Amino acid sequence: MIRFLGALLAFASIAGAQGLEHIKANYTKYEYRIAMRDGKKLFTSVYIPKDLTKTYPIMYDRTPYSVAPYGVDNFKTDLGPSPKFGKEGFIFVYQDVRGRNMSEGTFVDMRPQLTGQHGAQDIDESTDTYDSIEWLVKNLPNNNGKVGMWGISYPGFYTAAGVINAHPALKCASPQAPITDWFVGDDFHHNGTVYLPHAFRFFNGFGRPRPEPVVPAQTARPDTSKLPDGYGFFLGVGPLANVNEKHYKNDVAFWNEMMKHPNYDEFWQSRNLRPHLRNIKPAVMTVGGWFDAEDLFGALHTYDEIEKHSGTTNLLVMGPWCHGCWARTDGDKLGFVSFGAKTGEFYRDNIEYPFFMHWLKDAPDPKLPEAFVFETGTNVWRREPSWPPPGVEQKSLYLRADGKLSFDAPNEPATTYDEYISDPAKPVPYINGQAPGMTREHMLEDQRFASTRTDVLTYVTEELTDDTTLAGPLTPSLLVSTSGTDSDFVVKVIDVYPEDFPNPDPNPTGIHMGGFEQLVRGEPFRGRFRKSFEKPEAFVPNKMDKLEFVMPDINHCFRKGHRIMVQIQSTWFPLVDRNPQQFVDINNAKAADFVKATQRIYRGSALKVNVRK
């Protein structure tokens, strides 16, 4: 089956969309260049309702992806987060961030946040947001002095940055799939591994130089878009250093920087927004998707940091969505997995819209719970007073002999183990089929193909006699060894459906859902970082060592009659770049550095989970 890159998804207009004629009939468009404290001007597109008998709050979106279409006679076809906003009536403001498209200044990817003492003209994304809001509330006619922000993905980062040292007029904000840390968990790195096709595609278009303000041209497509087989393409590229040599030709500045910083040094730490989410004043509603292949980490950690360090209204919404799918799809299914309802529509109408209406237009309090989270498996929304939810019990799922998985600890010597040979020349594919790059469906891909591989260890429980819900983070605690001096370890948590599980009706693909092995969560970890992301450390060949890390949260019910499975492997290609399995500089490794290695997983290894009582 040919898959398509999830990040290239162009969301279709949903039922009830405002449409061009409605926007033109009800809004007047203006374009401004708003001066920041250092004198640089940011291009800003503003849509103001023609009915000037009322005042309106401002809905504000900052983006590096352009505020197109440009020109006061060229209109967007939809305004705001969903169709209800444009029909209700707000002032909508879209802004090219500093150094992108038509805005002046120099663009810096995930611009570091100012800390300590700084001069009156020193800037970051928070100061640009503050200065813009200051100008907007003073100069836009018929505004009511209240501002709300929203944005998805990179715009989610700008929204989160905007609530730091916020302007008093900023009453509420919704960072959605916000980027927070590009080394530990968002987008291009997961626990030190490189998410290769995602990074390659993104920077191939986004990372090209823009020496002066310019209306954006059509984004260049990556070479992988011409091919159905990303696995073969990236294997043919070879080591990471060849990306630049064969494709980028030193024309992508951030890729060059990324390759210079293989560890979690000051370059990456300064781009970590989490430590700055302190003493937040606006009401915040962070939104994410359980199956977001790009910024699931960011959503969970943005909520968590604000919750720990601020006293403001702080809400979390997590649905069964891919990246941004809550905004422009029904959200009733993903891949072969159905969620039984139009979860996207429910979110837009019953969560997002009431949140902004309450804070910006004094509508009645919608009484949203602190955590509005969708439980997959049972396919129900849960209203929780906190996240992770109260009333969970910490347990461990132990890896047992003969591929068994159990909540009961093994009675075996710690020296017993299972092993496999990992060969970087023949890495384990991350999907069963072909795709030009990273697919959005891989987050719940059927893993039956991986269970047959000799370089994948598979452990599974007996059939469950009761529903078993895991809610919160998952923590693999592994005792491992390698015959090499470095290795990746990929841990996957899987829901195994019973053999009599019904097929979809209609069933155009002919999928057999009996025995379906649905990925619930998968996450890689680069073994050299097992003690510190800042100071990598080689393995001693064939010596047992401990590796423990935290996987992103889940909220999944393994139903009665299903089974829980855990798989462990050392390659996941091309989603994750290949580890040479020797302790070398991976970003500058040579083809000869890549070697086979024997990996062992020892008894006493377990997956720590939170089980709903």
Side-chain angles (χ1 to χ4, degrees), residues 289-341:
W290 292 128
F291 305 114
D292 183 345
E294 298 171 45
D295 298 307
L296 168 61
F297 179 95
L300 293 168
H301 284 270
T302 296
Y303 161 78
D304 187 56
E305 291 295 330
I306 295 174
E307 186 65 19
K308 288 177 180 176
H309 303 289
S310 303
T312 189
T313 296
N314 182 43
L315 310 179
L316 175 69
V317 181
M318 296 295 298
W321 304 310
C322 60
H323 190 61
C325 287
W326 51 89
R328 290 292 185 268
T329 73
D330 286 339
D332 58 338
K333 61 182 177 180
L334 184 61
F336 295 119
V337 179
S338 173
F339 306 123

Side-chain angles (χ1 to χ4, degrees), residues 450-522:
S451 296
T452 65
R453 301 262 313 198
T454 58
D455 48 1
V456 177
L457 296 181
T458 299
Y459 303 88
V460 65
T461 66
E462 299 294 335
E463 286 190 6
L464 299 173
T465 56
D466 295 291
D467 286 359
T468 302
T469 301
L470 307 186
L474 306 165
T475 304
S477 183
L478 305 180
L479 299 173
V480 304
S481 69
T482 176
S483 63
T485 51
D486 191 18
S487 178
D488 293 347
F489 291 93
V490 180
V491 178
K492 298 185 293 187
V493 180
I494 297 159
D495 185 344
V496 183
Y497 292 20
E499 288 297 333
D500 61 355
F501 196 90
N503 293 329
D505 184 18
N507 188 12
T509 63
I511 180 69
H512 180 67
M513 296 300 291
F516 190 82
E517 295 179 4
Q518 181 204 324
L519 184 65
V520 176
R521 182 67 70 240

Side-chain angles (χ1 to χ4, degrees), residues 11 19 51 86 106 114 122 154 205 239 246 283 287 337 343 391 428 430 505 526 563 595 610:
F11 294 118
D51 181 358
T106 301
L114 293 172
D122 291 337
Y154 221 147
K246 294 183 178 181
V287 181
V337 179
T343 62
V428 180
Y430 80 106
D505 184 18
R526 185 136 287 167
R563 293 180 292 162
V595 298
N610 295 316

Side-chain angles (χ1 to χ4, degrees), residues 329-482:
T329 73
D330 286 339
D332 58 338
K333 61 182 177 180
L334 184 61
F336 295 119
V337 179
S338 173
F339 306 123
K342 294 182 178 181
T343 62
E345 181 179 292
F346 176 84
Y347 157 75
R348 293 188 293 270
D349 291 350
N350 298 288
I351 301 175
E352 183 179 51
Y353 181 71
F355 171 80
F356 282 106
M357 286 292 291
H358 173 63
W359 289 101
L360 299 179
K361 287 198 169 187
D362 297 320
D365 186 349
K367 305 295 184 183
L368 297 173
E370 179 165 312
F372 217 144
V373 291
F374 192 84
E375 183 179 280
T376 52
T378 49
N379 293 338
V380 296
W381 285 99
R382 300 283 188 190
R383 300 171 64 97
E384 302 289 359
S386 61
W387 187 261
V392 294
E393 180 180 2
Q394 291 189 338
K395 292 187 176 183
S396 291
L397 277 164
Y398 294 95
L399 311 185
R400 305 285 297 268
D402 302 318
K404 303 295 185 183
L405 184 68
S406 175
F407 285 108
D408 298 322
N411 184 21
E412 300 176 66
T415 54
T416 57
Y417 56 82
D418 295 311
E419 69 177 16
Y420 58 95
I421 296 174
S422 173
D423 184 356
K426 299 179 180 178
V428 180
Y430 80 106
I431 58 171
N432 182 28
Q434 294 180 329
M438 183 176 74
T439 71
R440 52 190 176 130
E441 296 87 358
H442 86 267
M443 294 289 284
L444 35 62
E445 176 81 18
D446 184 3
Q447 300 300 306
R448 282 179 285 197
F449 76 96
S451 296
T452 65
R453 301 262 313 198
T454 58
D455 48 1
V456 177
L457 296 181
T458 299
Y459 303 88
V460 65
T461 66
E462 299 294 335
E463 286 190 6
L464 299 173
T465 56
D466 295 291
D467 286 359
T468 302
T469 301
L470 307 186
L474 306 165
T475 304
S477 183
L478 305 180
L479 299 173
V480 304
S481 69
T482 176

Side-chain angles (χ1 to χ4, degrees), residues 13 23 35 106 108 142 155 158 215 255 262 269 291 304 432 437 445 474 530 533 542 552 558 569 592 613:
S13 294
I23 303 302
T106 301
V108 176
N142 292 80
Y158 294 109
V215 174
W255 179 269
Q269 292 175 25
F291 305 114
D304 187 56
N432 182 28
E445 176 81 18
L474 306 165
R530 65 197 179 281
F533 284 120
N542 300 313
F558 296 81
Q569 58 202 59
K613 294 181 180 179

